[in-house]
Amino acid sequence: MFKKVLVANRGEIAIRIIRAAKELGIKTVAIYSLADSESLHRFYADEAVCIGPGEPAESYLNMHAIITVAIEKGCDSIHPGYGFLAENPDFAKLCEDYNIKFIGPTREQIEKMGKKDEAKRIVKSYGVPVVPGSDGCVDINDPKLFKIVKQIGFPVIIKAAAGGGGKGMRIVKSFDELNTQIEVAKQEAKGAFGDDSVYIEKYLENPRHIEVQILGDKYGNVVSFPERDCTIQRRHQKLIEETPSPVINERLRKKLLKAARRAARAVKYLNAGTVEFIYKDGEFYFIEMNTRIQVEHTITEMITGIDLVKEQFRIAAGEKLEYDSDDLEIRGHAIQCRINAEDPENGFIPQAGTITKWIQPGGPGVRVDTHCYSGYTIPPYYDSLLAKVCVMGHRGRSVAIDRMKRVLGEFIVEGIPTTIPFHKKVLEHSVFNSSEYGTRFVEDYYGV
Amino acid sequence: MNEEYLKLVNEFIEGSDLTEVEISAEDFSIKILKSAKQTSATPMEAFETKENKTKEKEFFEVLSPAPGRFLRADTPSHPPLAVVGSKVKAGQKVGVIEALSVRKDVISGVEGTVVQVLVENNEFVEYNQPLMFIKPGV
């Protein structure tokens, strides 16, 4: 096992990783930006080093500074968390060059799966269902474009090959707007990811977002976990996640999990990853693979009792997965609400400022992951996630929903607006309770 | 007041537990603050005492521009770029930070006299760590 890990992240996920490392007896080194001098993650680690100013490019994305600190502090491993450098193949390579273990998949796997069109091609060849589409990148001058689109049928969606988070995406309903929208998507993709390649897919209206957590070890073992349902989103940002999905039955789950394992095996996947699907009318389609630990890994931990971050360390250290997908039992229904520093009454605008009062909920079946406390000032540089509130109900979804309502009622945050009131409304909504909705739920019922 | 005298005062403070010394004579007065030791407290202790850490700053602090090794000279055979008593100009190079063979100059932001060097040669420093104190003035 590793002796010392550098945690190349901030906020709640840095704390999450520090906790796992401590329980495994691994010493921890936190890095922090000047803007994060008050952030809890730097205080929880055994050592902490300020690596740059608040701007992410100068701190949490500064590979040179991070590797310098890792070497100076004698770290044998780096955990990237999610975001920042987690899916940057160059960083994984740099760690390799300096003989520091990158806790995650290999550089090649990050590269392959990071290109969405290539990932689709790879998993398709392994029999994983994918959304019908262009099978590679497209351009307006492509003579095959017309034929491809005619075959797929409108509406179609243009997506950035290097993309994520909704950037570089355009829905097109007719040939009249096709060329213009491809141009717009390319420009957006260029600006956001520095790569203007785009591809076309059939646009499935209002589907469910279903994803499967997987773990792979270096001996070729792949374990899949019960699916997570992340359908409640706003502009492709997940707000509420739950597991298992209320719309996937046992027969479908078997098929889905098998497809996810196949996708992982297609690239001999190592460490933790998530295979994302969209689901509509009884059919599911692969959309992409995330080559990192995800924000919502918590709910999978709740219902299976497996510590996924510890598993990441173990796998990276060369240990073997000692259990099979079939060995996992679903112990209940878990829900996570992402509490963001955003004003739901005002277009979900991210807020910076000082939290004057912070009282966390607790009680049975509750888990809160956060880096916040009373008196903490939220810096303006980073994402607006303040806390992940997770609950589990042993007797199904409605028990979990009731518990979440109780828990959010206990959560007191003063000084800045948060998404707590919005979550409370969703939990009361009859459509949410009926579980008959798609990814357009927030837009349809709240107009935001 | 001569450089030799300033050095003596500096050595005296370095070797003691004092964090603050004020000397007044007929023709001059000087106040020297010793920086808080950054390595002795664990992060959790630092959290508990973080409220008390702000101190009145009478001297200009030269801060590290990056994490890395603080080098006082361009090469080991060269003399230090700045020592206690050195007169420096604003924008003058007073040290070097080296990280994975990449070097960054440490620059004084003011014109004045170096009154204390806080970090040993070749010691690892973090970003924004105070490296030396400079008393502003021509």
Side-chain angles (χ1 to χ4, degrees):
Chain A
M1 188 45 77
F2 304 106
K3 299 263 183 297
K4 205 177 198 184
V5 65
L6 181 143
V7 181
N9 216 299
R10 63 176 300 279
E12 70 82 22
I13 193 63
I15 291 177
R16 171 73 192 92
I17 296 160
I18 290 166
R19 284 175 171 152
K22 282 194 170 177
E23 289 178 23
L24 288 168
I26 303 167
K27 290 273 178 231
T28 52
V29 177
I31 53 164
Y32 65 97
S33 73
L34 210 53
D36 266 342
S37 300
E38 310 275 283
S39 186
L40 213 48
H41 81 278
R42 70 162 278 208
F43 300 111
Y44 276 7
D46 295 306
E47 291 173 82
V49 177
C50 184
I51 53 157
E55 292 82 4
E58 301 290 315
S59 48
Y60 299 105
L61 291 171
N62 187 341
M63 298 191 238
H64 185 263
I66 293 170
I67 297 283
T68 298
V69 174
I71 290 169
E72 288 289 347
K73 292 291 172 184
C75 298
D76 52 11
S77 51
I78 292 184
H79 196 306
Y82 55 68
F84 296 123
L85 296 169
E87 288 169 285
N88 185 322
D90 296 339
F91 185 60
K93 165 84 167 57
L94 201 60
C95 292
E96 216 173 273
D97 291 347
Y98 284 96
N99 227 348
I100 298 166
K101 195 77 178 173
F102 176 83
I103 302 189
T106 64
R107 166 175 63 107
E108 292 79 11
Q109 290 162 349
I110 299 173
E111 234 158 31
K112 272 185 188 166
M113 288 317 209
K115 289 224 170 232
K116 287 184 175 188
D117 54 330
E118 197 183 336
K120 247 181 94 173
R121 235 187 349 256
I122 294 170
V123 305
K124 193 180 169 192
S125 69
Y126 276 74
V128 178
V130 299
V131 182
S134 58
D135 226 10
C137 292
V138 293
D139 210 333
I140 45 169
N141 302 319
D142 193 336
K144 285 179 294 191
L145 183 64
F146 181 81
K147 202 180 147 198
I148 293 167
V149 175
K150 203 158 182 210
Q151 217 164 36
I152 304 169
F154 286 107
V156 297
I157 183 164
I158 306 162
K159 288 183 174 179
K167 292 207 176 74
M169 281 191 193
R170 278 287 176 285
I171 297 158
V172 183
K173 289 181 177 147
S174 73
F175 277 113
D176 301 340
E177 42 176 0
L178 186 62
N179 280 353
T180 335
Q181 293 296 359
I182 290 177
E183 281 300 322
V184 173
K186 281 174 90 80
Q187 263 173 32
E188 230 177 88
K190 180 91 186 163
F193 315 108
D195 177 353
D196 73 348
S197 20
V198 296
Y199 62 98
I200 288 183
E201 262 179 10
K202 169 93 187 151
Y203 179 60
L204 293 165
E205 222 163 2
N206 209 19
R208 303 232 14 152
H209 177 109
I210 306 281
E211 61 183 34
V212 179
Q213 173 77 52
I214 61 111
L215 289 177
D217 68 16
K218 70 171 189 182
Y219 308 96
N221 299 306
V222 174
V223 174
S224 59
F225 290 72
E227 78 287 343
R228 294 187 289 249
D229 190 320
C230 314
T231 301
I232 303 291
Q233 311 181 343
R234 185 187 158 268
R235 296 191 181 168
H236 304 280
Q237 300 294 327
K238 296 163 187 170
L239 288 170
I240 299 178
E241 297 105 337
E242 56 185 306
T243 181
S245 167
V247 296
I248 304 288
N249 60 32
E250 202 47 52
R251 185 190 59 80
L252 204 57
R253 178 167 302 122
K254 276 212 168 102
K255 247 174 95 178
L256 178 74
L257 268 51
K258 196 173 168 189
R261 291 197 296 274
R262 237 185 231 163
R265 287 207 174 96
V267 287
K268 297 188 173 61
Y269 195 78
L270 189 70
N271 218 291
T274 298
V275 188
E276 295 197 335
F277 298 92
I278 47 178
Y279 172 78
K280 198 173 179 190
D281 304 326
E283 300 290 335
F284 57 84
Y285 310 91
F286 170 92
I287 44 171
E288 64 178 77
M289 181 160 187
N290 295 314
T291 54
R292 54 170 152 83
I293 191 77
Q294 277 187 290
V295 178
E296 61 272 24
H297 74 278
T298 43
I299 50 173
T300 300
E301 293 185 326
M302 272 192 127
I303 65 155
T304 60
I306 289 187
D307 188 317
L308 291 168
V309 181
K310 278 190 194 170
E311 293 298 76
Q312 285 195 288
F313 278 106
R314 290 198 186 103
I315 290 166
E319 289 181 27
K320 201 172 170 180
L321 284 163
E322 295 290 353
Y323 49 89
D324 212 84
S325 308
D326 296 331
D327 297 335
L328 301 170
E329 50 166 331
I330 303 178
R331 298 174 179 180
H333 190 99
I335 303 178
Q336 170 171 286
C337 288
R338 295 192 192 190
I339 311 304
N340 296 337
E342 291 168 6
D343 188 354
E345 295 296 312
N346 199 359
F348 286 81
I349 296 169
Q351 310 282 316
T354 301
I355 298 170
T356 51
K357 194 187 245 182
W358 177 271
I359 301 172
Q360 268 170 231
V366 181
R367 167 177 176 175
V368 181
D369 285 46
T370 183
H371 58 289
C372 298
Y373 54 89
S374 292
Y376 172 68
T377 300
I378 302 158
Y381 301 101
Y382 315 110
D383 74 36
S384 55
L385 182 66
L386 297 179
K388 305 188 307 202
V389 178
C390 302
V391 300
M392 182 164 83
H394 286 280
R395 286 164 194 263
R397 186 171 192 254
S398 65
V399 179
I401 292 174
D402 286 343
R403 179 163 278 166
M404 186 61 94
K405 287 185 207 163
R406 185 269 291 170
V407 165
L408 292 185
E410 290 175 7
F411 205 161
I412 298 168
V413 183
E414 287 175 11
I416 42 136
T418 74
T419 48
I420 294 173
F422 180 77
H423 283 294
K424 285 179 178 168
K425 276 192 219 165
V426 173
L427 294 168
E428 295 290 350
H429 203 286
S430 61
V431 175
F432 177 75
N433 282 274
S434 75
S435 39
E436 285 164 12
Y437 51 85
T439 47
R440 241 180 29 214
F441 174 87
V442 176
E443 194 190 330
D444 282 354
Y445 297 103
Y446 299 97
V448 286
Chain B
M1 185 182 59
N2 62 31
E3 278 182 30
E4 209 46 44
Y5 183 74
L6 206 59
K7 266 184 195 161
L8 269 175
V9 174
N10 190 39
E11 276 166 25
F12 168 70
I13 305 172
E14 279 295 307
S16 75
D17 289 336
L18 295 172
T19 55
E20 205 176 309
V21 166
E22 200 168 350
I23 301 166
S24 300
E26 272 177 20
D27 55 345
F28 76 97
S29 83
I30 186 168
K31 190 172 175 184
I32 297 176
L33 299 177
K34 194 162 139 183
S35 71
K37 267 275 180 220
Q38 299 216 346
T39 44
S40 59
T42 68
M44 213 55 210
E45 282 162 7
F47 179 66
E48 282 153 12
T49 57
K50 74 183 163 78
E51 304 297 333
N52 314 321
K53 273 185 85 176
T54 29
K55 257 187 186 171
E56 190 195 344
K57 283 175 187 162
E58 295 193 7
F59 298 122
F60 178 82
E61 285 179 325
V62 177
L63 304 171
S64 171
R69 298 273 175 143
F70 175 58
L71 305 179
R72 293 193 57 186
D74 278 321
T75 70
S77 56
H78 278 75
L81 289 154
V83 293
V84 171
S86 296
K87 304 262 186 240
V88 297
K89 297 236 179 296
Q92 185 177 327
K93 179 175 170 184
V94 293
V96 175
I97 297 293
E98 190 181 66
L100 307 179
S101 311
V102 175
R103 286 168 160 242
K104 262 188 188 154
D105 292 348
V106 177
I107 302 291
S108 171
V110 291
E111 180 166 6
T113 309
V114 177
V115 292
Q116 200 177 355
V117 180
L118 303 160
V119 179
E120 296 286 323
N121 186 50
N122 205 32
E123 195 176 319
F124 175 72
V125 293
E126 53 184 9
Y127 171 77
N128 217 43
Q129 183 172 330
L131 303 173
M132 49 182 83
F133 286 145
I134 290 175
K135 186 179 189 210
V138 181

